[in-house]
Amino acid sequence: MAITLHDSLSRETRELQPSHPDGVYRFYNCGPTVYAPAHIGNFRTFVVNDVLRRLLELEFGKDKVHHVRNLTDVDDKTIRRAREEGRPLAAVTKQWTAKFHADCQALNCLPPHDEPTATGHIREQVDMIEVLMQKGNAYRAPDGSVYFKVSSFPGYGHLSRVHERELQHGSALAGKVHAADADEKEDVSDFALWKAHKADDGDNAWDSPWGRGRPGWHIECSAMSKKLLGATIDLHTGGVDLLFPHHENEIAQSECCNGVPFAKHWYHSEHLLVDGKKMSKSLGNLYTLDELVAKGFSPMAVRYTLLMGHPRKQLNFTLDSVHAAESALKTLRGFHASLPAGGATSHTFEPVVAALKDDLNSPAALGALFTIINRPGGEPDRESFDQAMFALGLDLTAAAPAAQTVPAAITALAEQRWAAKQAKDFAAADALRKDLTAAGWSMLDRKDGFSLEPVKKP
RNA sequence: GGCGCGGUAGCCAAGUGGUAAGGCCGAGGUCUGCAAAACCUCUAUGCGCCGGUUCAAUUCCGGCCCGCGCCUCCA
């Protein structure tokens, strides 16, 4: 069964097929800027792309997928962070790259085959800018910056329909259009390919034919995808916010430079909202994985939560939904543990993967999963269940939420109650249970002993 | 102002021109001294509002209301 996926450029849902003779599907996913911990909104996109990666492996073969995800390790934010902390840029980006990798691993995301960095590909970016200069698609501003001349590319705006857009009238936004460097550009739509060195950049600058400076943001993806995947790639993905201007600019640069179509298919995942609003520091509704783990949630429950909504639809993330995910995962773990070893064909989980292959419909896939689990009679098929879990990237053997340390006083109370229970002094036992509950702990009895866990909050 | 997405049970969320998946929560039951777990059962005559098309609309069309996102470097 083919994978179908919505294409942001044509606005059609189309089948995915490798276009190169070697049968390798070339897939580029815009990665994070490494200057701070990624938040769960970022991870929605990466988890969705991870599911896609897994489906591609199932469909075309494990060695027939080439997945590239870049790391932006030089830009205004990374440089500012390094300056604020008085550390070298590389120290900052290395630290946050490591954190990003740890979070991805916790969320069970497969590592991309290549993870190129902007600073590791200055040469390739400069080369590309030189071609654009030669072809007349770019110009050097008086300060030494190089800009892409948007008017030189007739195809500009097709992806985001930017020609149908207008700047917001009479608002603060219209006035703040790049006040910083607007004077250097010939047109406000033009965007930087190369940024001339400024004092704030410190020693984060490289030599170029136009003087010392650093690459603009968009050029890195064009240069690195070309180097690793070729001039025309099969699929380019990212969050909706990258649609304009980032991806629009990438298309302009790459197609003007290479003279061939940049990407055959574009896919954009929608934003994660928190409590009905986009995450932002000012609203205080921004979560990191660590913060959720600190609240007692498992990373796998966070992954599950991110899959509860259709990737092309805004998903409202709440702590209640992570609770729901944690409970659902618990059921899945129990089901998995009770699955018979042998394969059976009466209850196959193939519909789960089928739902995912239909434009990454993860909520439908989760629905199908439980529908099959709850189907009476017959025998569930372990092989297809494992495959469904692989596609969803749900590792049911991953650690459940870490048990909290039990205070000695609580343990003492529990031991008293256990003794009372053994002595069949149920009145005392019940009283002690109440005390424990009041103190915030649930006592779980077993045949041969007890365990304690924090009282579940509603 | 422009562009785009969405409004489905207490919460989250699929879906279809033919009469509403699933998860969570909640309720009842079985089983347990109690509690928990597990298992069973139940939970939208209804899909933002108003019209229209149709034998039939939540699903198509039109209007309206509300929410969210993007509009130059935020996944």
Side-chain angles (χ1 to χ4, degrees):
Chain A
M1 178 189 171
I3 301 170
T4 60
L5 192 68
H6 184 264
D7 173 27
S8 313
L9 184 57
S10 66
R11 305 209 166 188
E12 292 168 344
T13 299
R14 302 206 321 267
E15 282 191 12
L16 301 186
Q17 279 299 329
S19 62
H20 288 67
D22 59 10
V24 173
Y25 195 82
R26 288 155 168 80
F27 166 32
Y28 189 96
N29 171 19
C30 278
T33 302
V34 279
Y35 73 108
H39 55 67
I40 53 167
N42 298 314
F43 282 118
R44 179 185 199 196
T45 295
F46 299 129
V47 164
V48 165
N49 276 273
D50 183 59
V51 171
L52 180 54
R53 151 80 182 273
R54 290 163 179 270
L55 290 175
L56 291 168
E57 285 193 7
L58 288 175
E59 184 72 6
F60 301 134
K62 200 172 186 305
D63 57 343
K64 293 292 186 186
V65 181
H66 193 167
H67 175 199
V68 177
R69 187 181 63 208
N70 67 299
L71 294 167
T72 298
D73 63 348
V74 56
D75 78 324
D76 291 349
K77 295 191 294 294
T78 48
I79 289 174
R80 189 190 321 127
R81 179 58 55 95
R83 191 171 66 241
E84 285 167 0
E85 296 180 354
R87 306 161 68 197
L89 178 65
V92 169
T93 57
K94 193 177 170 189
Q95 173 194 341
W96 292 113
T97 296
K99 179 56 183 162
F100 178 65
H101 286 162
D103 286 351
C104 283
Q105 188 175 8
L107 290 169
N108 203 30
C109 290
L110 297 171
H113 301 102
D114 284 298
E115 198 170 39
T117 60
T119 59
H121 295 80
I122 300 294
R123 180 75 250 163
E124 287 82 353
Q125 296 177 76
V126 167
D127 287 350
M128 203 161 194
I129 298 170
E130 281 201 285
V131 173
L132 291 169
M133 286 290 280
Q134 285 160 17
K135 289 190 170 182
N137 297 108
Y139 58 91
R140 182 182 185 279
D143 72 343
S145 293
V146 177
Y147 291 95
F148 183 89
K149 190 180 183 66
V150 165
S151 62
S152 73
F153 179 57
Y156 195 83
H158 286 175
L159 181 66
S160 61
R161 299 183 168 183
V162 77
H163 290 311
E164 296 169 19
R165 297 177 184 231
E166 289 177 28
L167 270 181
Q168 189 171 13
H169 298 300
S171 77
L173 208 73
K176 75 172 188 185
V177 174
H178 265 205
D181 56 6
D183 291 345
E184 302 288 344
K185 296 197 282 191
E186 293 176 1
D187 187 282
V188 288
S189 300
D190 294 346
F191 57 90
L193 296 167
W194 187 260
K195 304 180 90 156
H197 181 260
K198 291 181 295 197
D200 280 352
D201 293 343
D203 54 4
N204 300 303
W206 292 262
D207 289 322
S208 82
W210 317 285
R212 280 181 72 72
R214 57 182 169 95
W217 174 38
H218 316 293
I219 194 71
E220 68 181 67
C221 291
S222 287
M224 299 189 300
S225 71
K226 181 183 183 183
K227 179 188 180 187
L228 293 163
L229 298 174
T232 298
I233 62 179
D234 292 312
L235 174 66
H236 196 121
T237 68
V240 276
D241 48 343
L242 298 184
L243 221 140
F244 184 84
H246 186 52
H247 288 164
E248 198 71 73
N249 293 352
E250 284 184 46
I251 291 173
Q253 297 162 345
S254 290
E255 301 201 350
C256 287
C257 175
N258 303 326
V260 296
F262 179 43
K264 292 186 170 294
H265 203 122
W266 289 86
Y267 183 78
H268 294 91
S269 43
E270 254 295 350
H271 278 305
L272 185 72
L273 306 180
V274 170
D275 297 328
K277 302 279 186 185
K278 183 179 172 180
M279 279 182 288
S280 74
K281 283 179 183 171
S282 57
L283 288 173
N285 61 356
L286 194 150
Y287 289 115
T288 62
L289 183 60
D290 281 353
E291 285 166 354
L292 292 167
V293 168
K295 287 179 186 293
F297 297 113
S298 65
M300 209 48 60
V302 174
R303 180 178 176 110
Y304 189 106
T305 306
L306 296 176
L307 293 173
M308 290 197 325
H310 189 108
R312 287 197 297 109
K313 206 172 149 182
Q314 291 170 344
L315 173 66
N316 189 25
F317 184 96
T318 65
L319 292 182
D320 280 347
S321 45
V322 201
H323 271 115
E326 197 77 76
S327 297
L329 265 180
K330 195 175 177 184
T331 300
L332 288 179
R333 288 195 190 97
F335 176 79
H336 181 237
S338 68
L339 259 182
T345 50
S346 57
H347 283 184
T348 170
F349 288 87
E350 202 277 331
V352 177
V353 176
L356 291 175
K357 284 184 173 180
D358 178 12
D359 197 29
L360 296 175
N361 195 338
S362 52
L366 293 172
L369 175 63
F370 281 92
T371 300
I372 299 162
I373 285 176
N374 295 329
R375 188 179 298 158
E379 200 163 294
D381 174 49
R382 187 183 191 94
E383 192 179 334
S384 63
F385 179 80
D386 289 345
Q387 179 168 288
M389 289 304 107
F390 169 80
L392 288 162
L394 295 177
D395 179 359
L396 300 180
T397 64
Q404 285 188 28
T405 317
V406 183
I410 298 298
T411 307
L413 272 180
E415 281 169 353
Q416 278 183 43
R417 198 196 76 90
W418 184 254
K421 181 189 170 182
Q422 296 306 312
K424 304 221 182 272
D425 182 356
F426 296 127
D430 289 352
L432 283 160
R433 175 182 287 289
K434 277 188 182 174
D435 291 345
L436 281 164
T437 306
W441 290 86
S442 298
M443 185 165 169
L444 308 179
D445 293 358
R446 292 192 311 269
K447 277 185 183 173
D448 53 350
F450 62 86
S451 62
L452 289 156
E453 67 179 35
V455 172
K456 283 176 192 157
K457 305 215 167 66

